[in-house]
Amino acid sequence: MQFADLTPLNAAARANQTVRGRVFGGNLTVLQTMLGTALERKPPQILFLEDIGERGYRIDRMLQHFAQAGALRRLKALVFGAFVGGQEPDGRNLVVPVLERFARSQPYPVLLGVSAGHGEYQRPLFFNTAAELRCGRAAELSVEVVPRSG
């Protein structure tokens, strides 16, 4: 399965490189609440995050918590899916600027635009599967449809 037309958010994502690893992730709020508990997952190589109904300042706080807790230390890449329903009281949506600012501080590729999660297009993204992330102008995430055993 391929997710094309991803938007690179930092210099590492704009560089022509390929990142290979296993993909895992999900809803940012849910994953953040599992930090420091028995339910916390080992850091994946490629992390996918999405959310619904969270304003920019809350997304920023959760991403900072992930970083400060060391949960992002071993990542090879971070890909963001849909973040919907996070409008400020005045109607603006500050989520994308928050994601862009966070991405600039990370040493690994960070990209936006995986059409999975709670957005208009809810394509399946199979976790714990081998994935290949091609960075650069034609950024694309390719994920195995059926996970390999082992």
Side-chain angles (χ1 to χ4, degrees):
M1 175 170 290
Q2 293 185 332
F3 298 90
D5 301 321
L6 302 183
T7 303
L9 297 181
N10 64 359
R14 286 187 285 279
N16 289 326
Q17 64 174 312
T18 300
V19 175
R20 291 177 184 85
R22 299 187 86 66
V23 67
F24 180 76
N27 182 272
L28 174 60
T29 300
V30 172
L31 293 173
Q32 189 252 343
T33 61
M34 291 191 293
L35 287 176
T37 72
L39 298 174
E40 181 179 355
R41 299 283 186 167
K42 291 181 181 178
Q45 295 154 336
I46 300 172
L47 179 62
F48 164 78
L49 295 173
E50 58 83 31
D51 216 316
I52 184 168
E54 298 293 349
R55 291 170 49 195
Y57 78 95
R58 292 176 57 96
I59 298 293
D60 183 55
R61 181 174 60 216
M62 287 184 269
L63 289 172
Q64 293 304 320
H65 182 200
F66 262 88
Q68 292 172 9
L72 307 177
R73 195 173 301 137
R74 294 187 187 106
L75 288 186
K76 290 183 176 180
L78 173 60
V79 292
F80 291 118
F83 283 80
V84 296
Q87 289 77 11
E88 299 296 316
D90 65 3
R92 293 179 303 148
N93 191 318
L94 301 177
V95 173
V96 171
V98 163
L99 299 178
E100 290 171 338
R101 185 181 67 234
F102 180 78
R104 287 192 300 270
S105 70
Q106 302 310 305
Y108 46 77
V110 181
L111 298 98
L112 173 66
V114 174
S115 55
H118 288 92
E120 182 178 346
Y121 300 103
Q122 299 178 15
R123 295 176 59 201
L125 176 59
F126 298 97
F127 292 149
N128 198 29
T129 55
E132 181 177 276
L133 178 63
R134 286 185 294 282
C135 300
R137 286 189 177 190
E140 178 178 86
L141 176 66
S142 299
V143 179
E144 285 185 359
V145 175
V146 179
R148 292 182 188 156
S149 59

